[in-house]
């Protein structure tokens, strides 16, 4: 059975059939590295990671490419405002490239803690200027783009269909035409967007490059189109991102990529819905926000957050609260304890194994139903037709996709329990301690007869006492 995945471009669940049998080209919009990623951003990467791992387990050879947005992402999605990187560098009194490196490293360190696999290709946007210029030049030559007022714009009226995702999520469409955003008079159409800036209200752009249209910098959208086409070719199977990226970012990526290529570009669009707090969407620009480091500081294992995310569907908004995270921590702890108790050596009939394996695959094949996948995991743990060894084997397989370190954590828990048992006073220790103390006191009182009698009593109990400069030490012999 093949996977069914909700495709935001067609607004329905579709059978996932990549262009080339057995291979999947997958592109993920990477972070804008002007600050730490918040755990909302990481929900998107985490669910995309589960999808990638599921496809790999299904036997696909997946190539995953991610950009790092280190230039061109302006404060407003309507091409106005300051470059987020410039604002970030000023906030920290550092250079743009310096903070880009710092927050890129921080991002991948967070990913590692959450067991999010490092992509096959990671490309910073600033490393592809030549490619942007080449694509923009062709878009101008073919009439899809026009220079105006110093910038180069994409002409959305040249497309038969520009709004790919709008029937899907009208609310998010409002981003580009937000009230209070000053209209750019150079644009021929309201939704035209900038491919190359040489003029903006913010002249202190840190990084600029020479181009046929003057010294300037690329727009955010062209970065993802070019990076994807460079590494994954003209036909992309799967493009992922958070739901806020559907419009205008992904809509614009499709517009420029298809105008450039002259044919359909990406087959499936997977959008992860937002992590919200009780006061709304989590946002980096809001000042205080939740990071993986904060979770760690508060004593949470980052994988508790992964477990929390897996318990709900990626196409539903998820509400974060400390109470919800505590519930996930308790459930994760109990899960590990139950796995730690699976110490038997018995296996199972192959057919029994296969049935559980099939249910887990079916759960993920059904539009990545991770919470159902976790239910399948509990079914394995309590199964009556599986021995402990068979259960452990299935848990290891499921965990290749779930990424919860289940067997490793269970091993750690077992080792810790054994160490605690060894450190705990054994039965009878208190009695021995008392006899040894009485012997010490008898010796101090020079009552040698009693001291010897006590030594003999201890010997009869199998305990040998040695006198050391630090006092008596006893051991069982
Ligand atoms: P950015 O670093 O702002 O470019 O965003 C990185 C990724 O996080 C993008 O795919 C966004 O769509 C996604 N994202 C932003 N906010 C949230 C949120 N609250 N919940 C889930 N994903 C989000
Ligand atoms: Zn992108």
């Amino acid at each position: 059975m093949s996977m069914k995945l909700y495709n935001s471009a067609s607004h329905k669940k579709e059978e996932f059939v990549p262009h080339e049998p057995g291979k999947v080209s997958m592109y993920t919009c990477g972070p804008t590295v002007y600050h730490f990623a918040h755990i909302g951003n990481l929900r998107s990467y985490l669910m995309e990671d589960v999808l990638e791992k599921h496809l790999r387990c299904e036997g696909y050879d997946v190539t995953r490419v991610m950009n790092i947005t280190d230039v061109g992402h302006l404060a407003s999605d309507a091409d106005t405002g300051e470059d987020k990187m410039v604002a970030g560098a000023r906030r920290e009194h550092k250079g743009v490239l310096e903070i880009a490196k710092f927050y890129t490293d921080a991002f991948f360190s967070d990913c590692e803690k959450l067991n999010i696999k490092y992509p096959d290709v990671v490309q910073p946007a600033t490393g592809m200027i030549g490619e942007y210029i080449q694509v923009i030049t062709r878009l101008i030559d073919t009439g899809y783009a026009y220079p105006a007022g110093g910038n180069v714009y994409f002409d959305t009226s040249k497309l038969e269909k520009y709004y790919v995702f709008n029937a899907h999520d009208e609310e998010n469409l409002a981003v580009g035409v937000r009230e209070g955003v000053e209209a750019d008079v150079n644009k021929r159409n309201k939704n035209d967007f900038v491919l190359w800036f040489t003029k903006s209200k913010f002249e202190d752009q840190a990084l600029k490059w020479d181009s046929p249209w003057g010294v300037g910098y690329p727009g955010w959208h062209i970065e993802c189109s070019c990076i994807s086409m460079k590494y994954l070719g003209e036909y992309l199977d799967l493009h992922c991102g958070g739901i806020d990226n559907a419009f205008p970012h992904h809509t614009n990526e499709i517009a420029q990529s298809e105008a450039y290529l002259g044919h359909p570009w990406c087959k499936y669009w997977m959008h992860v819905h937002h992590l919200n707090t009780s006061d709304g969407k989590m946002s980096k620009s809001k000042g205080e926000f939740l990071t993986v480091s904060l979770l760690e500081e508060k004593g949470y294992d980052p994988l508790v957050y992964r477990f929390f995310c897996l318990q709900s569907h990626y196409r539903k908004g998820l509400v974060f609260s400390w109470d919800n995270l505590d519930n996930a921590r308790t459930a994760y702890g109990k899960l590990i304890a139950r796995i730690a108790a699976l110490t038997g050596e018995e296996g199972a009939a192959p057919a029994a194994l296969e049935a559980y394996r099939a249910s887990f695959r079916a759960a993920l094949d059904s539009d990545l139903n991770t919470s159902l996948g976790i239910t399948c995991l509990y079914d394995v743990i309590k199964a009556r037709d599986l021995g402990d060894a068979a259960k452990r084997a299935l848990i290891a397989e499921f965990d290749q996709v779930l990424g919860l370190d289940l067997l490793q954590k269970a091993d750690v828990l077992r080792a810790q329990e054994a160490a605690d048992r060894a450190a705990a006073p054994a039965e009878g220790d208190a009695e021995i301690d008392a006899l040894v103390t009485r012997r010490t006191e008898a010796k101090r009182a020079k009552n040698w007869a009693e001291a010897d009698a006590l030594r003999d009593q201890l010997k009869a109990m199998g305990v040998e006492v040695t006198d050391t400069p630090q006092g008596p030490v006893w051991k069982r012999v």
Side-chain angles (χ1 to χ4, degrees), residues 166-178:
N166 61 342
H168 167 57
D169 202 337
E170 201 68 49
E171 211 167 272
N172 278 312
L173 274 176
V175 185
V177 287
R178 241 188 324 239

Side-chain angles (χ1 to χ4, degrees), residues 421 424-437 457-458 460-465 474-476:
R421 266 196 308 276
E427 225 177 297
D429 282 9
E431 192 192 346
I432 296 167
D433 283 340
L435 290 171
V436 171
T437 309
Q457 189 180 343
L458 284 159
M461 291 165 73
V463 175
E464 186 183 276
V465 186
W474 62 264
K475 66 172 187 217
R476 287 193 169 89

Side-chain angles (χ1 to χ4, degrees), residues 44-63:
S44 290
Y45 297 108
L46 207 151
M47 300 314 286
E48 293 159 7
D49 178 68
V50 177
L51 176 59
E52 175 187 354
K53 286 176 176 161
H54 177 57
L55 292 172
R56 285 187 194 274
C57 280
E58 292 297 286
Y60 289 109
D61 176 7
V62 182
T63 307

Side-chain angles (χ1 to χ4, degrees), residues 28-42:
T28 299
C29 288
T32 311
V33 283
Y34 67 106
H35 219 319
F36 292 108
H38 57 61
I39 58 171
N41 301 127
L42 289 159

Side-chain angles (χ1 to χ4, degrees), residues 27-30 67 69 220-221 224-225 239-240 245 249-250 253:
Y27 185 84
T28 299
C29 288
N67 68 303
T69 303
W220 170 36
H221 317 299
C224 286
S225 286
H239 195 309
C240 311
N245 279 349
H249 183 50
H250 292 162
E253 278 188 45

Side-chain angles (χ1 to χ4, degrees), residues 11 31 35 125 147 152 239 256 301 317 334 343 356 365 374 414 438 450:
H11 318 300
H35 219 319
V152 180
H239 195 309
Q256 63 207 1
D301 177 342
K334 283 188 181 160
T343 52
Y356 289 98
D365 276 345
I374 289 183
R414 257 198 313 273
R438 270 177 59 199
E450 179 165 354

